[in-house]
Amino acid sequence: MRFVELSGGAMSALLDGDLSAAGRMAGVSLTEYFVTGRARWLWRFRLDQMDAAPAHARWMVRQAVVGDKDRVVGHAGFHGPPDEVGMVEIGYSIAPPFRRQGYARSTLIELLRQAAAETAVTTVRATISPDNVASLATISGFGFAEVGEQWDEEDGLELVFEVPARQVPPA
């Protein structure tokens, strides 16, 4: 698993529905999954974040790429840089044809490794709908502890989980 950063230009092309241009900018071939309504909401949200704080772009969206043929199986990243206490929140989504094949777990491992490599990060947070059985299963075994719940304007009720950033994820 490796991540390829999704630039603002590529996100703008995806908002316009231009998979070909976005793929050229990203250097990998993207699928229709990247122009769904939910994906377009994310690209708009991240572009607004990047416009407000361009230096935070490196924390944002990346494509999750696997294999020697650069198969893009989803996207992943952090919701932003570490906050004042060193917490980062992760987010990832695997395209439906690639689910239940271990890619979410591989994506989570890579996000945890990247967070651990950042000295400013002390805690990694994941927020998950209580109905999202697959995501709840994905984080199990990684040391995440449930620390509360929150209401998200876009996603509704979410359970909040945290793990120390330096905890070594399983291979």
Side-chain angles (χ1 to χ4, degrees):
M1 173 71 59
R2 70 183 177 90
F3 292 146
V4 174
E5 189 172 325
L6 194 58
S7 69
M11 283 187 257
S12 292
L14 289 170
L15 281 172
D16 293 338
D18 192 341
L19 282 170
S20 179
R24 278 192 308 278
M25 287 181 232
V28 290
S29 181
L30 302 173
T31 67
E32 292 290 326
Y33 184 64
F34 287 81
V35 292
T36 62
R38 178 76 174 150
R40 287 181 186 204
W41 175 89
L42 179 62
W43 311 144
R44 169 58 36 221
F45 184 76
R46 294 296 184 228
L47 282 169
D48 289 346
Q49 282 183 300
M50 290 164 59
D51 285 346
H56 296 172
R58 73 179 189 92
W59 291 94
M60 303 299 173
V61 180
R62 300 156 181 143
Q63 298 102 14
V65 180
V66 296
D68 57 358
K69 294 186 176 153
D70 289 341
R71 180 183 312 182
V72 179
V73 298
H75 54 81
F78 301 94
H79 289 242
D83 67 11
E84 62 281 348
V85 296
M87 186 276 295
V88 292
E89 185 173 342
I90 58 173
Y92 55 91
S93 182
I94 304 301
F98 302 108
R99 292 180 183 162
R100 301 193 55 79
Q101 297 176 47
Y103 293 125
R105 180 176 164 76
S106 295
T107 300
L108 176 59
I109 289 169
E110 187 56 29
L111 286 168
L112 290 170
R113 285 185 181 150
Q114 289 185 6
E118 296 283 342
T119 57
V121 177
T122 59
T123 303
V124 178
R125 175 177 285 177
T127 58
I128 302 172
S129 165
D131 299 328
N132 190 335
V133 176
S135 286
L136 293 169
T138 298
I139 69 163
S140 71
F142 285 89
F144 281 90
E146 187 174 341
V147 297
E149 60 183 45
Q150 67 183 22
W151 185 262
D152 182 87
E153 292 296 323
E154 184 68 22
D155 298 324
L157 179 64
E158 296 176 326
L159 303 175
V160 179
F161 298 88
E162 293 182 350
V163 65
R166 305 297 175 266
Q167 184 166 310
V168 178

